[in-house]
């Protein structure tokens, strides 16, 4: 595996976690949003990733048979969480129904905080991988100078 492949895989991982963090920020920003352009309360969003081959088909045929296929990550889509909204009794709220209940988004702030920490740690792990690859390459170059 070349230095460039390591950087490409790590960069894709960092980009994926950055997108995940954007979705989490959107969920937290709309934790009390009861009106959306589509009508009804905000629905929690989640992001779906998939493993994707790093090499294009034409260059993959050049890889040695004993080398494992290199997989990167890519975002497939952002989906809406199908869980129902949370109903709270607040008859004075402008969006309350006839019974006095307001439909709030199905966003759990604690769950979003845990997801945020997970995304942050994954981003850091990819960054550490890049630094390690850079250090290994730098040390190899230093050895060759002697």
């Amino acid at each position: 595996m070349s230095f460039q492949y390591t950087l490409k895989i790590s960069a894709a991982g960092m980009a994926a976690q950055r997108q995940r963090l954007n979705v989490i920020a959107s969920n937290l920003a709309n934790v009390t949003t009861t009106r959306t352009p589509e009508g009804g309360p905000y629905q929690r969003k989640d992001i779906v990733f998939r493993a994707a081959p790093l090499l294009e088909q034409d260059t993959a045929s050049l890889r040695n048979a004993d080398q494992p296929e290199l997989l990167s990550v890519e975002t497939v889509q952002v989906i809406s969480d199908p869980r129902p909204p949370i109903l709270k009794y607040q008859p004075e709220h402008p969006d309350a129904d006839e019974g006095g209940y307001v439909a709030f988004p199905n966003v759990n702030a604690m769950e979003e905080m845990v997801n945020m920490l997970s995304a942050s740690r994954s981003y850091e792990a990819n960054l550490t991988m890049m630094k390690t690859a850079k250090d290994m390459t730098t040390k190899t170059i230093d050895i060759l100078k002697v």
Side-chain angles (χ1 to χ4, degrees):
M1 180 164 31
S2 78
F3 175 67
Q4 291 176 331
Y5 294 160
T6 303
L7 292 181
K8 283 183 179 180
I9 293 171
S10 296
M14 291 169 65
Q17 295 307 320
R18 190 174 53 248
Q19 290 176 332
R20 181 179 176 202
L21 203 56
N22 288 339
V23 170
I24 293 167
S26 176
N27 289 338
L28 285 172
N30 289 291
V31 73
T32 58
T33 301
T34 57
R35 293 182 194 176
T36 60
E38 300 83 26
Y42 174 83
Q43 274 196 300
R44 181 182 175 273
K45 307 283 188 255
D46 205 356
I47 196 162
V48 178
F49 299 126
R50 77 172 170 201
L54 179 66
L55 301 176
E56 301 294 328
Q57 289 291 19
D58 55 335
T59 56
S61 62
L62 300 175
R63 139 176 89 84
N64 294 337
D66 59 339
Q67 290 180 326
E69 181 181 16
L70 299 175
L71 296 175
S72 184
V73 63
E74 66 183 18
T75 301
V76 176
Q77 69 182 101
V78 176
I79 59 171
S80 293
D81 189 335
R83 288 183 285 186
I86 300 167
L87 296 178
K88 291 184 181 176
Y89 184 70
Q90 292 184 354
E92 71 283 351
H93 195 284
D95 291 332
D97 62 10
E98 307 83 42
Y101 286 95
V102 179
F104 281 93
N106 55 357
V107 176
N108 180 337
M110 295 300 288
E111 181 181 343
E112 298 303 323
M113 295 299 287
V114 170
N115 288 338
M116 180 186 68
L117 288 174
S118 174
S120 175
R121 296 292 179 251
S122 295
Y123 187 91
E124 288 174 9
N126 283 295
L127 185 61
T128 301
M129 177 59 71
M130 289 179 103
K131 287 180 181 175
T132 301
K134 184 189 119 207
D135 290 347
M136 290 173 61
T137 303
T138 302
K139 288 178 183 174
T140 302
I141 291 172
D142 288 344
I143 290 172
L144 295 174
K145 287 180 182 175
V146 177

